């Protein structure tokens, strides 16, 4: 089974802190994605990556950056956390080169005080 | 821009009955894919069913089936013989050749015993 893991289920940070959210997948997937989930808005794509060291902006990249140094790991970075970044963050991965389902991690509930 | 609309924030169904969740979408692409994802209270998002737009036959997975109306851009999910374990948030999503998913806002399904 595909397994996507995220470093924390719950995280509490202070405004202005630098925050790292880590995601690891174990199925050699090329594509990886970061979403944020807010009530009434569904999931919105922040950033995605089709390969190591590649990254593409999604629909809401402002205030975020990403890093993909290894194929299995995709990190989301909040350079200076703000209260409006309080949300549920979901990571996903999928095979490359074809339309395929995305496999999701359990999510990280981030609260910025 | 591609959009996905789920007009039912919450639905309720009696155990063993049938329920239909609605989804409409808009895209200018001719080649795309549609998905229904389920997010139980534990938060791990899982794929329920997928439909390729070029296929006329509606997809079916056990108790789950879709009614895909391409001209109307409608993609509803029917759950037959509802079970308590079906209680979850259900998200409709659209994917084009970029492999990105566009999600609807979700429908919370309650199952009454």
């Amino acid at each position: 089974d595909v397994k996507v893991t995220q470093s924390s289920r719950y995280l509490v940070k202070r405004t202005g802190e630098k925050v790292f959210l880590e995601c690891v997948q174990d199925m050699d997937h090329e594509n990886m994605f970061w979403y944020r989930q807010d009530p009434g808005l569904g999931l919105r794509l922040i950033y995605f990556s089709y390969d190591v060291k590649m990254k593409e902006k999604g629909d809401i990249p402002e205030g975020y950056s990403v890093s993909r140094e290894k194929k299995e790991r995709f990190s989301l970075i909040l350079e200076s956390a703000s209260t409006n970044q309080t949300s549920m963050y979901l990571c996903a991965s999928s095979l490359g080169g074809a339309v395929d389902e995305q496999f999701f991690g359990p999510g990280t509930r981030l609260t910025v005080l | 821009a591609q959009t996905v609309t789920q007009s039912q924030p919450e639905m309720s169904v009696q155990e063993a009955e049938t329920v239909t969740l609605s989804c409409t979408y808009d895209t200018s692409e001719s080649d795309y894919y549609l998905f229904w994802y389920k997010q139980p209270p534990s938060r791990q998002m899982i794929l329920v069913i997928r439909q390729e737009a070029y296929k006329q036959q509606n997809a079916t997975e056990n108790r789950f089936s879709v009614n895909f109306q391409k001209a109307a851009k409608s993609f509803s999910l029917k759950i037959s013989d509802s079970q308590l374990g079906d209680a979850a948030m259900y998200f409709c999503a659209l994917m084009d050749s970029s492999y990105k998913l566009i999600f609807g806002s979700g429908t919370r399904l309650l199952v009454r015993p």
Side-chain angles (χ1 to χ4, degrees):
Chain A
D1 284 348
V2 175
K3 192 169 184 181
V4 181
T5 57
Q6 295 183 229
S7 51
S8 304
R9 289 302 301 271
Y10 300 93
L11 207 54
V12 179
K13 295 292 181 181
R14 297 267 178 206
T15 300
E17 279 192 81
K18 190 169 186 176
V19 181
F20 293 87
L21 302 183
E22 304 285 339
C23 175
V24 177
Q25 51 90 8
D26 67 357
M27 284 301 290
D28 203 34
H29 283 174
E30 276 77 23
N31 304 331
M32 296 189 75
F33 307 83
W34 274 108
Y35 298 89
R36 66 175 281 174
Q37 181 180 3
D38 300 288
L41 297 178
L43 280 73
R44 293 177 291 166
L45 183 63
I46 305 172
Y47 267 97
F48 59 104
S49 170
Y50 290 143
D51 202 350
V52 176
K53 298 194 184 293
M54 291 183 65
K55 59 184 179 183
E56 299 282 345
K57 291 181 180 179
D59 299 318
I60 52 165
E62 297 78 19
Y64 304 95
S65 62
V66 291
S67 173
R68 194 168 181 198
E69 296 296 319
K70 294 184 177 182
K71 192 175 185 179
E72 67 272 18
R73 187 179 299 270
F74 193 35
S75 302
L76 180 69
I77 304 157
L78 287 66
E79 293 291 341
S80 178
S82 63
T83 55
N84 63 13
Q85 292 178 310
T86 291
S87 187
M88 171 68 80
Y89 290 88
L90 294 174
C91 175
S93 71
S94 68
L95 285 170
V99 173
D100 202 357
E101 72 173 283
Q102 292 184 13
F103 294 86
F104 285 81
T108 296
R109 169 72 68 185
L110 173 66
T111 301
V112 183
L113 302 176
Chain B
Q2 300 180 108
T3 60
V4 177
T5 301
Q6 293 179 251
S7 58
Q8 305 156 319
E10 187 173 285
M11 292 284 286
S12 179
V13 63
Q14 190 76 36
E15 194 175 5
E17 297 294 309
T18 296
V19 64
T20 298
L21 308 184
S22 301
C23 173
T24 59
Y25 61 92
D26 192 22
T27 179
S28 57
E29 306 243 345
S30 58
D31 189 19
Y32 55 90
Y33 299 78
L34 295 160
F35 300 80
W36 277 98
Y37 277 88
K38 171 185 178 181
Q39 188 181 43
S42 66
R43 297 287 184 179
Q44 194 97 29
M45 189 94 72
I46 56 174
L47 179 67
V48 175
I49 198 165
R50 63 180 280 175
Q51 174 82 41
E52 291 81 357
Y54 63 85
K55 289 186 177 179
Q56 293 185 346
Q57 188 171 6
N58 289 325
T60 299
E61 288 287 341
N62 301 314
R63 297 182 295 107
F64 299 86
S65 62
V66 299
N67 183 5
F68 175 46
Q69 302 289 328
K70 191 172 183 178
K73 294 184 178 177
S74 172
F75 183 60
S76 60
L77 174 70
K78 186 172 82 170
I79 305 174
S80 303
D81 186 26
S82 297
Q83 300 175 1
L84 295 177
D86 294 334
M89 282 291 289
Y90 286 83
F91 292 96
C92 177
L94 167 72
M95 181 185 287
D96 61 16
S97 56
S98 71
Y99 311 142
K100 295 187 294 182
L101 281 172
I102 307 297
F103 284 87
S105 56
T107 297
R108 182 176 302 280
L109 178 66
L110 305 174
V111 180
R112 305 187 303 274

